[in-house]
Amino acid sequence: FPYTTLFRSVKNLNFKYSDAKTGIENINFKVKKNSLTVITGRVGSGKTTLIRTLLGLLPYDSGEIQWNGKAIDNCRDFFVPPNSAYTA
């Protein structure tokens, strides 16, 4: 996507629970501005973990979350309305 249309990008995002057996690994994607994104998958595939990590409810171990090309340091304070919305 050209810079002007980027909404959010995730690069090499990783989070492991303390049991070190479950989590998310090497997540990469881009979301276009003014689009609707749906995350789907099998039970236990990491959908909820991904969303909780993006919203800052879980601290990611490594990777980067960007908004319009700028890294977001504190997702919990940034990804709130009007920047984003979440429906379980």
Side-chain angles (χ1 to χ4, degrees):
F1 300 110
Y3 174 78
T4 56
T5 61
L6 263 184
F7 182 77
R8 175 191 285 173
S9 68
V10 173
K11 297 179 182 178
N12 303 315
L13 191 66
N14 295 284
F15 170 81
K16 292 285 185 192
Y17 287 99
S18 59
D19 64 13
K21 294 179 183 177
T22 58
I24 55 173
E25 186 176 1
N26 199 28
I27 303 295
N28 294 281
F29 63 88
K30 294 178 182 178
V31 177
K32 270 180 86 171
K33 184 177 182 178
N34 298 321
S35 68
L36 172 68
T37 302
V38 178
I39 299 172
T40 64
R42 296 178 144 181
V43 173
S45 63
K47 301 176 301 290
T48 300
T49 300
L50 173 61
I51 294 297
R52 288 181 178 168
T53 303
L54 292 174
L55 293 174
L57 302 175
L58 294 173
Y60 56 93
D61 299 323
S62 61
E64 186 173 59
I65 300 171
Q66 294 183 347
W67 183 275
N68 289 334
K70 296 182 182 179
I72 303 302
D73 296 323
N74 187 341
C75 294
R76 177 171 255 184
D77 291 338
F78 186 81
F79 289 114
V80 297
N83 292 333
S84 68
Y86 166 67
T87 302

